[in-house]
């Protein structure tokens, strides 16, 4: 039996055995708990092993949370968990079976911006007439991509579109009907453009996100043997946030679940808010028709909010009737009305202000008042003085641009905050600094970039001295760079300013000289270190430091992503790509960093971003006409009705979606929900309150009320407020699971761990690591290719593979060397000569390996086998290079490119000992041998961990992780200097 704390409906959902199951999980009803415990229950009752369960959701964060919970639930660990997003699942299938579809398995995945760039660079290939861009092509390209994405959501191929155009031509008299002729040309143009776009993707070895789902669906339809393999493997399928699936995703899952149809769909139609991403609310309504024998369980006990907040939310969302699942269920006596498990009445207020400035002041003051435990909060029976933190507050906006005034208000009040935005990386000050530096490497005469460069805090140039230089540049009509080189004799500068200028120019010239022959990432990395910029960021206040390092890490990953899909990795080409991105309207994707920046901050985010989250107090702001709900924006290119396969709800679809979005906002609050409006947001017209407020029967509290005046809702009061900032490192910045490398880094130096895993500073690579990774990857690809060509398919996790032919008959030596050439990692070598030397050495190693007895005598059963295992009460994850089936059990092998040691010390054995314990815990055969295989001289160093060695390592790991979880990083950093290891980072 599962945990007794489950309620009756949750227990029924967890213990459902076979057949389809629809779990209608209202807000705050514990759906993630149900999914987690259902997976645990299926495994513990021997209905399925971990790799026989497929669980899919929609965000990496949600998938990670589910994996983390399953980690804790499974006592021994797992191998090959299939818990991921839809797209990650599809990518995994295509990496394994792409060749069966005529796709290469080393395809690169493009995001929307990269797809935009692909079309922009090949615009001349598109047969445009009707949609020919007369001016800026940006909107046109974006409209096309949006339309192609919609087509893929509906499983519409280019050939389907061409067939539609041809059918239209046959059904209409184009010769005599000019309108029909124009429409035919439009349809034909879109169809041909769609086909050209798909061909461009294939020609360049690219896929976009829509392709992942479509190609896997096509694979399963055309290759029934492969479909059957996965149908037999996945005994149970669970879909989280089912209301967010699109038509293509649902069809794929129906295909995969057949014929047993052990599919669990968990969702809530009232929280379907991603229509703009292609989500089809009709899927959750359609599920009952597709599976008329499905068991249906409604989760109605809410563990988040007070009852009066739930009642208001429920009454509001009923305005979407009859297009709600509840209406279909009323005949069965079912309801979606949520019942609060928490007692007490929540605070529910509508605060109204004369203008947006006062609205900001009112919201900020209210947050401070609640945080400080003012007597006014005693009206809530569930609130006690000083029991709330800044993390208990959220300000929800309908659109990102509405957040700025509230950010400024919190800054003025000294309240820690975090703006959780999905766009805007390229507008961050730090990123603008780095872009300015790169622009100077390409053209040092760009004066605006030079100005930003000179103003960097690392040089310490006073603003008044920079003004003197810019004034001289204007007077002489010189570029700023020329002025810095020639100012002497024209303007007086302080000794300190002259010294700073010399340092800045010398540094810049050093990198200009390197710019033509080096990768953008290497130049950027060295500049950050050589200039002292990393040290400057490291000196900032903790909250700002984490924020700045997060932006730096994200921009650095953008540069690395650019290098992965471009042969020309120069600064000039990077800037050209970046220029096109900005031209497209792209602002730079921002990763969600809620967990990275710690809990002690008020969260500002869009309502979409708040989906799945909860807060003690929620402020939904700017609730006025045209802001929430927003105006409907129709798709630039409408989808032809004949191609739409989903069932479209009746009524005003846009308004229904906006109501669902507002319902999500209302149901985020635990005990305090504040809806705010103002009369004036700029412009000549006074704003009307949102139509959503009229149905809530809330009397607005205005600035005329004495209580509001007493609370100090005035601009002057804002600057008088002071807020306490966090002084210790939040515990939830530490991971829930650990790798061997993480543990070793902490043992080496806590500051090193702090830099690498908490601040996530970009690290300089090591050419030894690049070389070793090149060899590892080449051997992995080599054996995978051999498996595809001649090895039998692995039936399940517990069955080893057998070779049908000798491996040398499957893959030639020449092919192995070509694999190496394609996968050689050329990063971080100290010189071109060193890189060439290692490249040749790798070829020699692999030639010798191909002729070795080791190749002929052993065959891997598993390659790069991922695992998660409980060791000493902690979750450890990793990947095992290779596992071979040998007499009596398994042999674990780790490749080495260095020289073998005469004797292995205890620390040398640790990684393989972890692999031994993981494999023993997870696989059903014992490990009988561990080996380091040295390619340099074709030798092995073998051993097997004893119980004593394993116990000692478990104790060491447990002690290290326990120390890490309770470690005071701030105190350590304040009291200890940099060691040789962390000094290499900063």
């Amino acid at each position: 039996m599962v945990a007794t704390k489950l309620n009756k409906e949750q227990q029924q959902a967890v213990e459902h055995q076979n057949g389809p199951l629809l779990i209608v999980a209202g807000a705050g009803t514990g759906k993630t708990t149900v999914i987690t415990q259902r997976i645990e229950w299926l495994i513990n009752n021997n209905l399925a092993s971990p790799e026989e369960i497929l669980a899919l959701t929609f965000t990496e964060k949600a998938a990670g949370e589910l994996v983390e919970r399953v980690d804790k639930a499974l006592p021994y660990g797992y191998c090959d968990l299939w818990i991921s997003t839809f797209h990650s699942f599809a990518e995994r299938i295509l990496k394994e079976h792409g060749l069966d579809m005529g796709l290469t398995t080393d395809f690169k995945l493009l995001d929307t911006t990269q797809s935009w760039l692909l079309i922009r660079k090949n615009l001349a290939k598109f047969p445009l007439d009707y949609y020919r861009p007369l001016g800026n092509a940006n909107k046109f390209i974006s409209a096309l991509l949006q339309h192609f994405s919609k087509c893929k959501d509906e499983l519409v191929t280019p050939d389907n579109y061409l067939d539609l155009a041809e059918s239209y031509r046959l059904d209409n008299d184009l010769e005599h009907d000019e309108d029909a002729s124009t429409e035919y040309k439009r349809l034909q143009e879109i169809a041909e453009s769609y086909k050209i776009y798909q061909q461009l993707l294939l020609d360049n070895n690219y896929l976009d996100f829509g392709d992942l789902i479509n190609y896997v669906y096509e694979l399963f339809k055309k290759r029934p043997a492969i479909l059957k393999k996965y149908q037999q493997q996945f005994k149970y399928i669970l879909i989280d946030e089912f209301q967010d699936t699109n038509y293509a995703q649902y069809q794929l899952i129906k295909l995969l679940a057949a014929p047993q149809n052990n599919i669990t769909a968990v969702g809530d139609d009232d929280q379907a808010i991603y229509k703009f991403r292609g989500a089809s609310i009709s899927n959750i309504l359609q599920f009952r028709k597709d599976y008329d024998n499905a068991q249906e369980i409604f989760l109605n006990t809410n563990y988040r909010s007070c009852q009066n907040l739930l009642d208001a939310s429920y009454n509001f969302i009923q305005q979407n009737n009859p297009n709600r699942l509840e209406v279909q269920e009323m005949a069965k006596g079912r309801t979606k009305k949520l019942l609060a498990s928490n007692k007490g009445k929540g605070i529910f207020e509508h605060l109204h202000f004369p203008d947006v400035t006062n609205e900001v002041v009112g919201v900020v003051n209210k947050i401070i008042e609640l945080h400080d435990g003012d007597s006014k909060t005693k009206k809530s029976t569930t609130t006690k003085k000083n029991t709330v933190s800044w993390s208990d507050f959220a300000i929800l906006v309908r659109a990102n641009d509405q957040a700025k005034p509230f950010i400024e208000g919190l800054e003025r009040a000294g309240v820690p905050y975090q703006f959780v935005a999905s766009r805007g990386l390229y507008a961050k000050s730090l990123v603008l600094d780095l872009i300015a530096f790169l622009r100077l490497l390409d053209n040092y005469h760009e004066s605006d970039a030079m100005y930003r460069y000179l103003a960097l805090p690392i040089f310490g140039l006073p603003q008044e001295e920079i003004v003197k230089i810019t004034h001289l540049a204007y007077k002489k009509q010189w570029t700023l760079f020329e002025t810095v080189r020639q100012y002497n004799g024209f303007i007086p500068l302080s000794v300190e300013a002259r010294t700073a200028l010399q340092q800045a120019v010398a540094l810049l010239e050093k990198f200009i000289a390197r710019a033509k022959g080096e990768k953008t990432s290497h130049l950027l990395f060295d500049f950050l270190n050589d200039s002292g910029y990393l040290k400057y960021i490291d000196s900032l206040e903790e909250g700002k430091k984490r924020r700045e390092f997060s932006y730096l890490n994200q921009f650095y990953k953008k540069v690395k992503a650019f290098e992965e899909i471009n042969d020309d990795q120069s600064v000039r080409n990077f800037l050209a790509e970046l220029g096109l991105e900005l031209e497209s309207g792209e602002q730079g994707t921002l990763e969600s960093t809620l967990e990275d920046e710690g809990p002690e901050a008020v969260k500002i985010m869009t309502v979409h971003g708040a989906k799945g989250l909860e807060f003690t107090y929620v402020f939904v702001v700017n609730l006025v006409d045209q802001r929430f709900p927003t105006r409907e924006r129709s798709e630039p290119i409408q989808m032809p009705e004949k191609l739409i396969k989903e069932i479209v709800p009746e009524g005003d679809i846009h308004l229904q979606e906006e109501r669902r979005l507002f319902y999500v906002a209302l149901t985020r609050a635990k005990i305090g929900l504040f809806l705010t409006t103002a009369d004036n947001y700029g412009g000549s017209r006074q704003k009307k309150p949102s139509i959503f407020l009229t149905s809530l029967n809330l009397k607005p509290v205005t600035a005329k009320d004495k209580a509001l005046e007493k609370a100090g809702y005035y601009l002057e009061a804002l600057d008088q407020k002071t807020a306490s900032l966090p002084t210790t490192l939040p515990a939830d910045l530490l991971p829930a699971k650990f790798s061997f490398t993480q543990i070793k880094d902490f043992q080496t130096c806590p500051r090193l761990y702090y830099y690498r895993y908490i601040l996530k500073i970009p690290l300089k690579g090591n050419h030894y690591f690049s070389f070793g990774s090149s060899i590892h990857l080449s051997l992995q690809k080599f054996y995978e290719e051999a498996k595809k060509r001649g090895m039998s398919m692995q039936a399940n996790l517990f069955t080893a593979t057998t070779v049908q032919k000798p491996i040398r008959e499957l893959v030639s030596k020449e092919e192995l060397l070509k694999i190496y050439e394609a996968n050689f990692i050329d990063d971080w070598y100290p010189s071109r000569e060193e890189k060439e030397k290692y490249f040749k050495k790798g070829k020699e190693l692999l030639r010798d390996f191909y002729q070795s007895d080791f190749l002929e005598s052993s065959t891997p059963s598993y390659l790069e086998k991922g695992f998660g295992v409980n060791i000493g009460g902690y979750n450890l994850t990793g990947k095992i290079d290779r596992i071979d089936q040998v007499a009596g059990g398994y042999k674990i092998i780790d490749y080495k490119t260095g020289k073998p040691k005469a004797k292995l010390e205890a620390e040398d054995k640790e990684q393989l000992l972890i692999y031994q314990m993981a494999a023993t815990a997870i696989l059903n055969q014992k490990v009988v041998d561990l080996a380091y295989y040295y390619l340099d001289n074709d030798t092995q160093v073998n051993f097997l961990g004893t119980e004593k060695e394993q116990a000692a390592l478990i104790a060491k790991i447990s002690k290290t992780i326990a120390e890490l979880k309770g470690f005071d990083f701030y105190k350590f950093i304040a009291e200890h200097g940099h060691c040789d290891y962390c000094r290499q980072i900063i």
Side-chain angles (χ1 to χ4, degrees):
M1 297 293 289
V2 294
T4 55
K5 60 183 177 182
L6 295 177
N7 63 40
K8 178 183 176 183
E9 290 76 23
Q10 289 175 328
Q11 190 92 13
Q12 288 176 346
V14 166
E15 296 183 354
H16 173 80
Q17 289 202 16
N18 297 316
L21 169 66
L22 176 63
I23 303 173
V24 182
T29 56
K31 69 178 180 62
T32 306
T33 298
V34 169
I35 294 172
T36 304
Q37 295 208 18
R38 176 157 173 73
I39 292 173
E40 181 187 5
W41 185 83
L42 290 170
I43 294 170
N44 291 342
N45 285 273
N46 297 317
L47 294 172
S49 55
E51 76 282 355
E52 292 175 331
I53 299 171
L54 174 64
L56 298 175
T57 187
F58 284 86
T59 66
E60 294 293 348
K61 185 176 184 297
E65 181 184 353
L66 198 53
V67 169
E68 183 180 324
R69 291 204 192 186
V70 172
D71 268 353
K72 295 176 181 178
L74 299 179
Y76 301 113
Y78 60 84
C79 198
D80 276 354
L81 269 184
W82 287 77
I83 299 177
S84 70
T85 64
F86 267 91
H87 291 118
S88 294
F89 165 73
E91 185 176 9
R92 185 173 178 178
I93 297 295
L94 291 179
K95 290 288 186 183
E96 180 71 22
H97 299 288
L99 291 175
D100 296 286
M101 278 292 297
L103 300 172
T104 59
T105 55
D106 60 345
F107 58 83
K108 295 180 176 65
L109 192 60
L110 299 190
D111 60 22
T112 303
T113 301
Q114 291 166 330
S115 296
W116 189 97
L117 291 171
L118 181 67
I119 293 180
R120 182 69 173 80
K121 292 175 181 177
N122 294 275
L123 200 54
K125 296 180 181 179
F126 288 78
L128 304 177
D129 182 24
Y130 187 97
Y131 287 106
R132 181 183 300 278
L134 298 178
N136 192 330
N138 300 348
K139 291 184 178 180
F140 156 75
I141 297 175
S142 298
L144 266 188
L145 281 172
Q146 183 180 343
H147 192 63
F148 298 160
S149 176
K150 179 64 177 175
C151 288
K152 292 176 184 181
D153 290 344
E154 297 282 337
L155 289 177
V156 173
T157 66
D159 287 341
N160 295 149
Y161 221 121
L162 287 167
D163 290 344
L164 174 74
E166 180 61 16
S167 174
Y168 186 89
R169 184 186 69 82
L170 295 174
D171 292 343
N172 291 273
D173 184 2
L174 305 186
E175 186 176 347
H176 299 95
D177 187 336
E178 186 176 345
D179 290 341
S181 177
T182 301
E183 176 63 8
Y184 166 70
K185 290 176 182 178
R186 187 186 74 86
L187 291 173
Q188 186 75 7
E189 187 172 304
I190 294 172
E192 290 177 357
S193 296
Y194 186 14
K195 190 164 190 174
I196 289 169
Y197 169 66
Q198 288 303 109
Q199 193 60 49
L200 278 172
L201 290 170
L202 293 174
D203 290 345
N204 289 279
N205 201 22
Y206 297 151
L207 297 182
D208 65 19
F209 284 99
D211 287 329
L212 292 174
I213 304 298
N214 282 229
Y215 279 132
V216 172
Y217 179 79
E218 190 177 344
L219 170 74
F220 287 163
K221 293 287 283 186
K222 292 184 176 180
R223 302 289 183 265
I226 296 175
L227 171 61
K228 186 176 181 180
K229 171 186 181 297
Y230 287 104
Q231 285 175 332
Q232 292 176 341
Q233 176 179 340
F234 298 129
K235 294 181 179 179
Y236 293 89
I237 297 176
L238 298 90
I239 312 298
D240 189 16
E241 304 289 7
F242 185 71
Q243 75 278 353
D244 295 334
T245 55
N246 60 40
Y247 178 84
Q249 290 164 339
Y250 183 34
Q251 297 306 309
L252 173 62
I253 290 304
K254 285 201 296 184
L255 199 62
L256 197 56
Q260 288 85 4
N261 294 326
N262 290 330
I263 177 173
T264 299
V266 185
D268 179 11
D269 58 305
D270 290 332
Q271 297 186 72
I273 60 172
Y274 293 115
K275 182 67 179 175
F276 68 95
R277 291 184 186 171
S280 173
I281 188 177
S282 65
N283 285 347
I284 197 167
L285 303 175
Q286 183 67 25
F287 187 89
R288 297 172 63 255
K289 298 178 181 178
D290 292 336
Y291 301 103
D292 54 7
N293 63 329
Q295 182 176 355
E296 298 175 12
I297 297 174
F298 282 55
L299 304 183
N300 296 96
T301 303
N302 177 282
Y303 297 95
R304 176 186 300 159
S305 307
C306 296
Q307 190 63 53
N308 63 316
L309 304 183
L310 294 176
D311 290 343
S313 304
Y314 177 72
N315 293 335
F316 171 79
I317 197 58
Q318 287 190 92
Q319 294 178 76
N320 270 359
N321 291 344
N323 294 310
R324 295 177 60 244
L325 184 64
E326 182 181 45
V327 176
Q328 300 180 9
E329 297 293 329
M330 282 180 178
K332 300 179 182 178
R334 287 181 175 148
T335 177
K336 289 184 64 182
K337 183 177 176 63
L338 299 177
L339 301 175
S341 66
N342 301 329
K343 303 302 180 183
K345 186 176 181 180
I347 306 169
F348 189 28
E349 295 181 356
H350 170 196
L351 306 179
H352 184 72
F353 305 91
D355 54 43
V356 67
T357 301
N358 278 278
E359 182 181 8
V360 170
V361 175
V363 168
V364 174
N365 274 321
K366 191 69 175 177
I367 289 173
I368 295 173
E369 172 193 323
L370 291 166
H371 177 269
D372 292 347
D374 190 274
S375 60
K376 209 177 168 191
T377 64
K378 298 299 193 300
K379 69 196 295 184
S380 171
T381 59
T382 56
T383 308
K384 295 181 181 180
K385 188 172 182 178
N386 296 326
T387 59
V388 294
S389 67
W390 297 117
S391 63
D392 290 313
F393 298 90
I395 299 174
L396 304 187
V397 295
R398 177 61 182 84
N400 279 321
D401 58 5
Q402 297 169 11
K404 186 177 179 181
F406 295 93
I407 291 172
E408 294 172 346
L410 291 169
E411 282 184 345
R412 291 181 62 182
V415 175
Y417 72 90
Q418 181 190 358
F419 178 36
V420 187
S422 59
R423 292 286 185 272
L425 178 65
Y426 297 148
K428 300 302 179 185
S429 181
L430 178 146
V431 174
L432 289 171
D433 289 346
L434 298 180
I435 292 173
F437 166 71
L438 293 175
R439 286 170 58 197
L440 289 175
L441 300 191
D442 184 50
N443 180 7
Y444 52 81
H445 289 303
E446 290 195 31
S447 290
D448 57 338
M450 189 66 182
Y451 176 85
R452 190 168 195 100
Y453 176 74
L454 293 177
L456 290 176
I458 53 178
F459 298 128
L461 269 170
Q463 185 64 29
E464 58 269 21
E465 304 282 44
I466 299 176
V467 169
K468 292 179 185 178
I469 298 169
T470 57
H471 182 74
L472 177 62
Y474 179 77
K475 181 179 178 181
K476 293 290 188 181
Q477 289 299 294
W478 293 339
T479 66
L480 210 51
F481 183 83
E482 291 172 325
T483 309
V484 170
R485 300 286 297 271
Q486 304 177 65
Y487 73 88
N488 200 16
F490 291 95
I491 52 174
L493 295 178
S494 67
V495 174
E496 294 78 10
R498 289 200 300 270
T499 301
L501 278 177
Q502 289 171 1
Q503 293 174 345
V505 172
L507 183 69
L508 181 60
E509 288 179 334
K510 182 180 80 170
F511 280 96
I512 289 172
R514 292 174 51 185
K516 288 187 178 180
E518 295 195 37
K519 291 182 176 182
T520 304
S521 61
H522 290 190
L523 293 165
L524 193 60
F525 183 89
D526 287 347
F527 169 73
L528 288 165
N529 283 273
D530 296 355
S531 67
Y533 207 135
L534 285 183
K535 289 183 178 179
Y536 163 72
I537 302 173
D538 194 38
S539 69
L540 299 174
E541 175 271 321
E542 184 63 27
K544 189 172 184 181
K545 177 197 300 186
R546 289 203 298 270
R547 189 157 53 239
E548 293 296 284
F549 272 127
S550 175
Y551 297 149
L552 171 58
N553 185 50
Q554 292 179 58
F555 182 66
Y556 191 72
K557 286 197 289 187
K558 289 274 187 182
V559 175
K560 296 295 287 184
F562 152 79
E563 291 177 346
E564 286 179 7
I565 62 173
N566 284 277
D567 294 329
D568 181 357
Q569 300 166 349
S570 66
V571 169
R572 173 164 292 183
N573 195 39
F574 172 75
L575 291 173
E577 292 268 328
L578 181 62
L580 287 173
E581 271 199 62
L582 296 171
E583 182 186 334
S584 75
E586 176 60 40
Q587 301 170 354
T589 304
L590 276 169
E591 297 174 0
S592 175
T593 55
L594 276 173
E595 63 280 0
D596 293 340
E597 302 207 12
E600 272 297 289
V602 175
K603 303 299 187 287
I604 309 173
M605 63 181 69
T606 64
V607 182
H608 281 102
K611 176 73 164 57
L613 303 177
E614 60 182 38
F615 303 92
T616 305
Y617 299 103
V618 170
F619 292 78
V620 188
V621 299
N622 288 190
L623 276 170
V624 293
D625 186 40
Q626 306 301 321
R627 290 200 169 200
F628 203 171
T630 61
R631 292 180 181 177
E632 181 177 8
R633 296 180 181 178
S634 59
E635 295 178 359
I637 303 176
Q638 293 290 328
M639 191 78 171
E641 287 187 13
K642 290 185 178 180
L643 294 179
I644 297 176
K645 299 172 184 176
E646 64 172 301
I647 301 172
V648 180
E650 299 176 357
D652 189 331
I653 299 174
H654 171 72
L655 186 58
Q656 290 173 27
E657 173 111 345
E658 289 288 298
R659 285 199 194 105
R660 292 193 294 269
L661 190 60
F662 189 56
Y663 175 79
V664 166
L666 297 178
T667 53
R668 298 310 95 195
K670 294 181 181 179
I671 62 174
L673 179 59
F674 302 91
L675 312 179
T676 72
T677 55
D679 291 325
N680 189 350
Y681 289 87
S684 57
R685 293 188 178 182
Q686 180 173 311
K687 287 288 186 180
K688 296 179 180 179
S690 167
I691 59 172
F692 289 169
L693 288 169
T694 58
S695 61
L696 293 175
N697 297 320
L698 274 179
K699 179 184 177 182
V701 179
T702 68
K704 295 179 181 179
D705 292 334
K706 292 181 180 179
L708 198 57
E709 292 177 5
K710 185 178 179 181
Y713 286 76
Y714 297 102
L715 191 58
E716 305 84 57
L718 202 59
D719 292 317
Q720 298 171 8
K721 298 289 182 181
T722 57
S724 57
L725 295 171
T727 57
T728 58
L729 186 68
D732 64 351
L733 285 182
L734 299 175
K737 51 190 177 182
F738 298 84
S739 69
F740 176 74
T741 304
Q742 283 176 282
I743 293 170
K744 293 294 289 185
D745 281 346
F746 179 75
Q747 291 170 344
T748 301
C749 173
R751 186 192 287 266
L752 173 66
Y753 181 93
Y754 174 73
Y755 284 158
R756 182 170 283 174
Y757 302 105
I758 295 175
L759 296 183
K760 299 180 181 176
I761 299 173
L763 303 177
K764 185 171 184 176
N766 184 302
H767 68 281
Y768 298 115
F769 181 79
S770 295
F771 179 67
S773 297
S774 300
I775 297 296
H776 275 69
L777 187 57
S778 298
L779 291 176
Q780 178 190 344
K781 299 280 187 182
F782 168 72
Y783 280 114
E784 286 176 349
E785 188 63 28
K787 176 183 175 182
K788 288 172 185 173
R789 295 184 184 183
M791 294 183 184
S792 62
M793 296 298 293
Q794 185 174 311
N796 57 53
L797 180 67
F798 308 115
T799 304
T801 56
T802 57
V803 181
Q804 295 174 337
K805 289 184 178 181
I807 199 165
R808 292 194 183 98
E809 294 182 23
L810 296 169
V811 184
S812 69
K813 179 169 61 177
E814 290 71 24
E815 287 176 306
L816 170 59
L817 296 179
K818 285 182 179 178
I819 290 172
Y820 170 70
E821 290 170 1
N823 291 281
F824 181 74
I825 301 169
D826 63 353
D827 277 344
W828 306 115
Y829 289 92
S831 66
R832 186 187 297 268
E833 292 73 23
E834 279 291 293
K835 182 170 66 176
E836 291 176 354
K837 184 180 82 173
Y838 273 90
F839 180 70
K840 290 179 181 178
K841 179 182 178 181
K843 281 195 168 184
E844 292 170 3
L845 287 179
L846 292 176
R847 286 192 189 100
D848 293 342
F849 171 79
Y850 195 83
Q851 301 300 329
S852 68
D853 292 338
F854 176 80
L855 176 70
E856 192 170 316
S857 63
S858 62
T859 302
S861 300
Y862 305 108
L863 296 165
E864 294 294 313
K865 196 67 172 175
F867 68 84
V869 67
N870 188 304
I871 293 181
Y874 297 104
N875 291 315
L876 264 68
T877 62
K879 279 188 178 181
I880 303 174
D881 279 359
R882 170 173 173 169
I883 304 175
D884 288 11
Q885 178 81 60
V886 295
Y890 286 123
K891 176 180 179 179
I892 296 175
I893 300 170
D894 194 52
Y895 301 121
K896 295 293 181 184
T897 54
K899 299 290 184 182
K901 289 188 175 182
K903 180 183 178 182
L904 294 178
E905 302 296 336
E907 286 194 1
D908 299 324
K909 296 180 178 181
E910 286 180 347
Q911 188 159 13
L912 281 184
L913 280 175
I914 290 176
Y915 293 167
Q916 178 183 346
M917 290 186 283
T920 302
I922 295 166
L923 304 177
N924 69 337
Q925 294 188 41
K926 66 180 180 178
V927 175
V928 296
D929 191 15
L930 304 175
Y932 288 116
Y933 175 71
Y934 294 88
L935 286 93
D936 200 29
N937 62 355
D938 187 28
T939 61
Q940 295 185 57
V941 176
N942 303 74
F943 68 98
L944 186 65
T946 64
E947 290 185 6
K948 182 178 179 181
E949 287 176 318
Q950 293 179 42
L953 182 56
I954 290 173
K956 183 178 180 180
I957 289 173
S958 300
K959 180 181 177 182
T960 301
I961 296 178
E963 182 184 356
L964 195 160
K965 282 184 169 290
F967 196 78
D968 189 338
F969 285 93
Y970 286 167
K971 182 178 179 182
F972 179 87
I973 290 169
E975 296 177 355
H976 295 76
H978 291 76
C979 69
D980 290 339
Y981 293 98
C982 60
R983 190 177 290 113
Q984 296 172 12
I985 301 175
I986 293 183

